[in-house]
Amino acid sequence: MRFPYGLCDFNKIITKGYFYCDRTDRIAVLENTGDYLLLLRPRRFGKSLLLSMLENYYDIARKDRFQELFGHLLIGKNPTPSHNQYVILKWDFSCIDPSGSAADIKKALHNHINACIESFVMYYEDYLTREVKLDSSDAVNSIKSLISVTRKSGHLVYLLIDEYDNFANEVMMGVRREKKDIYEALVFGEGPLKTLFKAVKSATDGSGFDRSFITGVSPVVMSDITSGYNMAENIYLNPAFNDLCGFHEKEIKKALSAVSAECGLKEKDVADALDIMHTYYNGYKFAQDAKESVYNPTLAIYFIKAFLRTCNYPRKMLDSNLAADDAKLRYIAQIPKGRQILFDLMKKDYSLIISDLSDRFGIEQMLTDKSKDFIFMTSFLYYFGVLTIEDETDAGKLILRVPNLVTRGLYIERIQQMLLPEPVDRDDGVLAAEQLYTKGDMKPLCEFVEQRFFKVFRNRDYRWANELTVKTAFLTLLYNDILYIIDSEKDAGRGYADLTMMIRPDMRRFKILDILVEFKYTGLKEASLSGEKAKQLSIEDLRAIPAMQTKMKEAKKQTEKYGDDLEKKYDNLRLKRYAVVSLGFERLWWQEVKR
């Protein structure tokens, strides 16, 4: 079996026998939903392939190939009357260079539209009865000419637009005044982007653009050009289309079974691979009423293709093409109170509660600090795929959470850079962490946190100060998805372990240790001490504080219980167990808990 990593050409995927998860049955549902649709999904989530599938299904020039392309798929058994009834005009805004001045971008936009129309004319020359006139200086005139010709020729046009918000994404991540001015020049007033969408809207009257399907990441551009194109029906929160892009677990299992057969692996190997893929890549739910979460398709294919090539898991679980999503977290971290949201997500289940998602925020809101409230920031993270819908509360609010471990790694890396901005500090922290999981020596790590990390906490006004804060410090230093499946609040049978580092199944050949850590926090007031006095305590005096003794006893008891549960759940663990008690943000007392 072949796996189409980075390939979004439906024709090639089908004719060359690539792995394909059939979503063609949704074509009829899409037709019944509306004529002008907008679908938002995170980047690299299969949107371009979806458009390619629609292009091949509706293209009048491929009518003779319908059985070849769709006969074996779900829609082939019950096609809609509209199949192969359109001429297809397709634009891809990711092809347009967003750099330069507003005039430069306008020219690039018009050049792209004209180039697409020119390709359209060449492709459909046998179906057009008149000549389409291209206006090199104004592509809107070219569109008008195209519509006139297709009407005279008796054909309806299906317009497909990919990455319609590419400009806005560039501006949002740039966060520079000059880029904001450029964007506003494109979308406001008689800006070229707004004018373009007004032309598209105008062309829907009569037998022009009979249907359109637009994809993007966020609703920013649509909010800013509302009057230009206020007819698009948003389907991204519709549960019927939750899996329109993305893979089901049963589809992942089928692919892994095929890989296993080629590699000569056992059934348990398939189960282990499915378990690790579920942990790292599953968890996306785009509508609160959706019944099942889906896998990120690009990450899933990245893993499976590497698995097929080497009969082993990829060394890095995060595909470098997705690492750019860290820019979204960096953007939020620059916003007042945005840093606190990232810290709050480190709490149990990495979740936040929001009254509802915002589906209307323009570029002014994106770039004006005073407008960035909690709903805006969490909605932003949802649209860009670094938060997803988990459930609803009893009060009808939405619970958003970090979808999976690979995305959680982006959060942890961003928080580490927020707390330890100097690379030398991060390097020293990682070296201290290595002493723990390679040698079982907790001392260097605790000394680093006590002497360098706590200094950061003391100097910042964080809303919470407890064991979660301490756990965050350790987690940011210990996170390593090459060697470990690292989790916090991991279900250990009869409770939740604070921090676990379970060696990845494919990495057990290395001489490293499984790690379990339980944290407790004693406030300075609870110990009747000031920060200065706490820093001057000897280790004996620290251990003699009654509150510290009580917390250590609790931590050790939980460490024993959770450790036993993990030993029963997993085979062949090399488990080291530790209890760590913090006295404010000043001192640490740790003990290895042996059985």
Side-chain angles (χ1 to χ4, degrees):
M1 183 176 290
R2 306 171 70 187
F3 295 94
Y5 177 81
L7 184 60
C8 53
D9 183 344
F10 176 84
N11 191 329
K12 186 173 183 179
I13 287 173
I14 297 301
T15 58
K16 299 297 183 181
Y18 283 95
F19 175 78
Y20 178 68
C21 292
D22 192 352
R23 297 290 183 271
T24 58
D25 58 322
R26 310 305 162 81
I27 290 176
V29 185
L30 287 170
E31 288 185 6
N32 292 328
T33 299
D35 294 336
Y36 308 104
L37 304 178
L38 171 66
L39 176 70
L40 303 180
R41 285 294 182 265
R43 60 187 297 272
R44 302 298 297 271
F45 221 93
K47 301 185 294 295
S48 297
L49 177 57
L50 171 64
L51 287 185
S52 181
M53 181 266 285
L54 295 176
E55 178 184 6
N56 280 267
Y57 181 78
Y58 288 106
D59 184 6
I60 191 172
R62 306 185 204 208
K63 191 171 186 176
D64 293 341
R65 300 186 60 205
F66 180 80
Q67 284 301 317
E68 176 192 2
L69 295 174
F70 292 95
H72 63 294
L73 300 176
L74 293 170
I75 194 68
K77 301 176 176 63
N78 190 23
T80 66
S82 296
H83 81 86
N84 303 115
Q85 297 298 308
Y86 288 89
V87 287
I88 310 297
L89 179 62
K90 187 174 181 180
W91 302 335
D92 181 357
F93 283 5
S94 69
C95 298
I96 302 170
D97 185 359
S99 62
S101 66
D104 293 332
I105 298 175
K106 176 182 177 179
K107 183 177 180 181
L109 174 64
H110 282 267
N111 287 343
H112 175 73
I113 300 300
N114 274 322
C116 291
I117 292 176
E118 188 173 13
S119 296
F120 173 94
V121 170
M122 293 178 63
Y123 183 72
Y124 290 112
E125 62 178 347
D126 294 337
Y127 296 85
L128 304 178
T129 58
R130 298 191 180 187
E131 180 184 356
V132 176
K133 297 179 180 179
L134 294 179
D135 186 336
S136 60
S137 62
D138 191 346
V140 170
N141 291 330
S142 303
I143 293 171
K144 292 177 181 178
S145 177
L146 180 146
I147 294 301
S148 296
V149 171
T150 53
R151 281 174 177 165
K152 287 290 185 180
S153 303
H155 299 300
L156 299 175
V157 182
Y158 199 134
L159 176 63
L160 303 174
I161 306 178
D162 202 6
E163 297 198 40
Y164 90 106
D165 55 343
N166 184 58
F167 299 113
N169 295 339
E170 290 292 326
V171 175
M172 286 186 289
M173 295 305 101
V175 196
R176 295 199 304 271
R177 181 73 214 181
E178 62 270 22
K179 281 202 169 187
K180 175 178 179 289
D181 293 341
I182 290 172
Y183 177 81
E184 289 178 346
L186 293 171
V187 300
F188 296 146
E190 295 304 313
L193 198 58
K194 187 170 185 177
T195 301
L196 174 65
F197 276 97
K198 285 174 66 176
V200 171
K201 178 182 176 182
S202 175
T204 60
D205 293 336
S207 54
F209 288 142
D210 189 61
R211 288 182 178 273
S212 70
F213 197 101
I214 302 174
T215 70
V217 174
S218 79
V220 174
V221 174
M222 204 55 69
S223 296
D224 284 334
I225 63 168
T226 299
S227 61
Y229 196 73
N230 56 3
M231 56 194 297
E233 184 169 352
N234 306 331
I235 64 170
Y236 44 89
L237 294 176
N238 188 327
F241 305 121
N242 182 68
D243 64 345
L244 194 57
C245 302
F247 296 160
H248 291 295
E249 185 149 303
K250 61 183 179 182
E251 294 167 332
I252 296 291
K253 186 176 181 180
K254 180 180 179 181
L256 289 174
S257 296
V259 172
S260 177
E262 290 200 31
C263 288
L265 302 177
K266 300 177 181 178
E267 187 174 335
K268 184 180 183 304
D269 297 317
V270 175
D272 287 343
L274 183 62
D275 184 60
I276 198 168
M277 286 191 70
H278 181 93
T279 300
Y280 279 95
Y281 303 145
N282 192 24
Y284 295 93
K285 193 161 74 166
F286 301 104
Q288 57 265 39
D289 296 326
K291 296 180 180 179
E292 183 181 353
S293 61
V294 295
Y295 285 72
N296 179 304
T298 298
L299 287 172
I301 294 297
Y302 161 78
F303 180 99
I304 294 171
K305 192 169 183 178
F307 195 21
L308 176 63
R309 183 172 60 251
T310 65
C311 297
N312 211 334
Y313 307 160
R315 181 173 175 83
K316 293 183 178 181
M317 300 303 292
L318 174 62
D319 175 10
S320 59
N321 284 318
L322 270 294
D325 288 339
D326 174 65
K328 317 308 184 297
L329 301 178
R330 187 166 62 249
Y331 167 78
I332 290 294
Q334 295 171 350
I335 300 172
K337 298 184 180 179
R339 297 166 66 92
Q340 189 61 54
I341 285 182
L342 299 187
F343 275 97
D344 288 346
L345 281 164
M346 298 292 286
K347 294 181 179 180
K348 181 181 178 181
D349 291 335
Y350 293 79
S351 63
L352 296 172
I353 295 175
I354 185 174
S355 58
D356 202 4
L357 287 166
S358 175
D359 61 358
R360 297 194 61 78
F361 46 83
I363 202 67
E364 187 67 33
Q365 188 174 7
M366 297 291 305
L367 300 180
T368 304
D369 288 343
K370 63 182 180 181
S371 67
K372 298 185 181 80
D373 57 13
F374 178 76
I375 291 179
F376 162 79
M377 289 186 282
T378 49
S379 297
F380 173 86
L381 293 174
Y382 159 81
Y383 287 114
F384 282 87
V386 285
L387 279 179
T388 193
I389 297 173
E390 180 180 37
D391 207 344
E392 294 176 301
T393 69
D394 293 337
K397 293 187 176 182
L398 291 178
I399 302 173
L400 302 183
R401 67 174 175 84
V402 180
N404 46 48
L405 199 56
V406 76
T407 309
R408 191 177 302 173
L410 295 176
Y411 280 91
I412 292 170
E413 182 178 346
R414 174 52 39 197
I415 288 177
Q416 184 196 66
Q417 292 181 18
M418 286 164 51
L419 295 177
L420 297 174
E422 296 298 325
V424 65
D425 288 333
R426 296 197 296 270
D427 290 343
D428 289 347
V430 169
L431 289 174
E434 288 178 357
Q435 298 303 305
L436 174 61
Y437 61 77
T438 59
K439 299 179 181 179
D441 187 357
M442 175 66 85
K443 183 179 178 180
L445 183 57
C446 284
E447 287 180 346
F448 180 89
V449 172
E450 189 178 77
Q451 296 169 15
R452 295 162 81 171
F453 231 129
F454 277 172
K455 188 182 299 184
V456 179
F457 286 133
R458 285 196 300 270
N459 294 338
R460 296 190 183 277
D461 182 23
Y462 293 121
R463 190 166 63 209
W464 38 266
N466 52 32
E467 64 192 58
L468 292 171
T469 317
V470 179
K471 181 178 71 175
T472 296
F474 278 78
L475 185 58
T476 59
L477 297 171
L478 287 166
Y479 191 84
N480 181 333
D481 71 347
I482 292 178
L483 298 175
Y484 288 96
I485 299 174
I486 299 182
D487 208 352
S488 61
E489 304 297 337
K490 185 176 182 62
D491 185 358
R494 293 169 290 170
Y496 292 91
D498 279 342
L499 177 59
T500 59
M501 299 175 63
M502 300 290 103
I503 303 170
R504 279 173 40 175
D506 58 319
M507 295 296 174
R508 288 207 165 269
R509 65 186 185 274
F510 297 118
K511 295 181 180 179
I512 53 178
L513 303 166
D514 298 288
I515 301 293
L516 165 66
V517 187
E518 281 296 310
F519 298 96
K520 295 296 176 184
Y521 180 87
T522 302
L524 293 172
K525 289 184 179 179
E526 194 178 352
S528 301
L529 289 170
S530 67
E532 283 302 316
K533 287 186 177 180
K535 281 187 278 189
Q536 296 170 9
L537 291 174
S538 67
I539 188 63
E540 290 77 15
D541 291 338
L542 181 68
R543 294 172 178 173
I545 297 172
M548 293 289 286
Q549 292 179 345
T550 300
K551 294 294 176 66
M552 177 58 77
K553 184 177 180 180
E554 292 174 4
K556 291 173 70 174
K557 183 177 179 180
Q558 287 180 315
T559 304
E560 291 175 355
K561 177 170 73 71
Y562 296 149
D564 290 347
D565 290 339
L566 290 171
E567 295 273 14
K568 292 177 182 177
K569 186 175 181 178
Y570 299 99
D571 296 329
N572 304 318
L573 288 186
R574 310 162 196 159
L575 189 63
K576 289 281 189 177
R577 317 173 189 200
Y578 300 90
V580 176
V581 181
S582 175
L583 176 58
F585 291 150
E586 306 297 341
R587 303 294 300 277
L588 289 173
W589 174 22
W590 66 273
Q591 286 190 359
E592 182 179 353
V593 181
K594 297 183 179 180
R595 296 295 286 167

